[in-house]
Amino acid sequence: MAQCGVASRRKSEELIKAGVVRINGVTIYEPGFPVDPKKDQIIVSGKELNEAVKVYIMVNKPKGVVSTSEDTHGRQRVLDLVPINERLYSVGRLDMDTEGLLLLTNDGDLTFYLTHPSHEFEKTYVGRVKGCPDENSLESFRHGMVIEDYRSAPAAIKILKMDRDTSLLEMRIHEGKKRQIRKMCAAMGHPIIDLKRVAMGNLTLGRLKPGEWRYLNNDEIIYLKGEKKW
């Protein structure tokens, strides 16, 4: 189900447990039931499931756009920027006030792979903060910081530019906890003013302007799946 773009792995398991999935006319309730999409009839919520063509897209999410699939407040979603028929899901999220690189796909296995903490897929951000962090603050960021109820993993940070009242920082993390970069900068005493994700691993935004998107090429897809490194 996740591979066909019906839902994420977790949501697919919830649908199965809810009893809305039928295999060859039989309702199943336990995830992991063996099926062959080319031979077995799979019905989800009354609709027959067909093996979907995999789609991989990079989008430059503008500030003010949400990355969730549904929004009850009527705000623009990143999915609204990509007018194609396939049902897509974001690989991780960017909060509404953060712009930059976001991947969309209907490949549930790849989404799971890229968002699982054990794979430590690096994400690079450029952010403008208030003030100028001193070396002690930068070292605390690099070695991990206590944020609310967890300690962040070691990360990378460097100052790109300093003005009188602000600094431009490049920050690289392997984790993806909610608003993590913003919380780490606040913990340093230098809250974020503007934040942009500029890379995921070796994938970069390139010339994509806010609101623009493109399909990933074959080399980029192979790289994301870990089949080769650039």
Side-chain angles (χ1 to χ4, degrees), residues 2 7-16 112:
S8 65
R9 280 194 173 195
R10 183 176 299 176
K11 184 63 176 178
S12 295
E13 291 178 355
E14 292 175 359
L15 291 173
I16 292 171
F112 178 79

Side-chain angles (χ1 to χ4, degrees), residues 1 11 33 76 116 141 151 177-178 181 198 222:
M1 290 168 60
K11 184 63 176 178
F33 190 90
Q76 187 178 28
H116 197 280
F141 190 104
R151 174 177 285 277
K177 296 183 183 296
K178 187 176 181 180
I181 288 283
V198 297
I222 291 173

